Amino acid sequence: MNAAVMQAAGPVAAAIERLGWWLFGGGLLIFAGVMLLLVLALRSEPGPVRTRLWIGGGGVLFPAVVLTVLFVAALPLTPVRQVPPADALAVTVTGRMWWWEVRYPAGDGQPEVITANQIHIPVGRTVAVALASDDVIHSFWVPALAGKVDMVPGQHNQLLLSADRPGVFRGQCAEYCGAQHARMALQVVAQAPAEFEAWRRAQAAPAPAPA
């Protein structure tokens, strides 16, 4: 089961992973630069002009430039209300204390399918996940596929995601929601399109009679 943030399995998570590596690399360079400047400062004679340059450059200008660059780089990764493509798979996920209700709406001759704590998706197809909460604030997060989106009671959010390879990817509620928060996990099962359609037909079939 893949749950690592830095092991992307879809285009949305891949963009977040690239930004993460840039942050790690940039942070390392900044740390090395600060340590170098500290050594130089300790070996030089203090003075009012030098002090003002250090405060203005290192304390004001440098942080302002770094934060502005990070803000601009992160903007494209901020979840927004996007229009899904015409062939997107519609899935509705409702967070409850402490489980996930997953609905595949009826359409195209297929009945509604309802599952719990497990989402099946076809590889290579965009999935439009409608997110809602039935009780308290939850947060939907599948690190290998996309960033997290909060689920606030009374509000409806949307997340577009897709998987570029088959696999089982762990998701987790990323907002503390009560005593059983740590157990509020889910699985996203990415399957080949034919396997997904077979799974959906099987879910729509009548339940077998008990033995």
Side-chain angles (χ1 to χ4, degrees):
M1 188 180 296
N2 191 341
V5 178
M6 307 308 287
Q7 295 179 355
V12 179
I16 297 174
E17 180 182 352
R18 286 193 296 271
L19 179 60
W21 284 116
W22 277 103
L23 291 175
F24 290 147
L28 182 60
L29 290 176
I30 291 172
F31 177 78
V34 169
M35 293 299 100
L36 176 61
L37 293 176
L38 176 62
V39 172
L40 294 176
L42 292 174
R43 298 182 61 179
S44 62
E45 293 294 330
V49 175
R50 187 183 298 273
T51 300
R52 285 194 294 268
L53 288 175
W54 278 104
I55 295 176
V60 179
L61 182 61
F62 180 72
V65 171
V66 171
L67 293 176
T68 300
V69 170
L70 292 178
F71 174 75
V72 173
L75 272 180
L77 303 178
T78 303
V80 295
R81 188 74 180 184
Q82 297 176 320
V83 179
D87 65 341
L89 173 67
V91 178
T92 300
V93 177
T94 302
R96 304 183 187 277
M97 298 171 69
W98 290 272
W99 61 286
W100 305 91
E101 179 188 276
V102 182
R103 290 178 178 263
Y104 297 79
D108 298 329
Q110 294 178 323
E112 182 182 47
V113 172
I114 304 174
T115 67
N117 300 330
Q118 191 173 82
I119 306 173
H120 286 246
I121 64 173
V123 171
R125 183 178 173 186
T126 300
V127 181
V129 185
L131 299 169
S133 172
D134 193 48
D135 36 52
V136 299
I137 298 177
H138 300 286
S139 190
F140 182 87
W141 190 29
V142 185
L145 298 179
K148 76 182 188 74
V149 175
D150 289 341
M151 306 160 73
V152 180
Q155 296 183 10
H156 295 274
N157 294 326
Q158 178 181 264
L159 176 65
L160 300 184
L161 58 83
S162 62
D164 54 20
R165 67 173 185 268
V168 180
F169 307 100
R170 188 179 190 275
Q172 176 67 41
C173 178
E175 182 73 26
Y176 180 74
C177 55
Q180 298 297 319
H181 162 72
R183 298 180 180 272
M184 193 172 172
L186 72 151
Q187 290 181 338
V188 176
V189 182
Q191 301 170 290
E195 293 180 0
F196 169 77
E197 293 300 332
W199 170 85
R200 187 165 184 174
R201 287 194 300 270
Q203 292 297 308

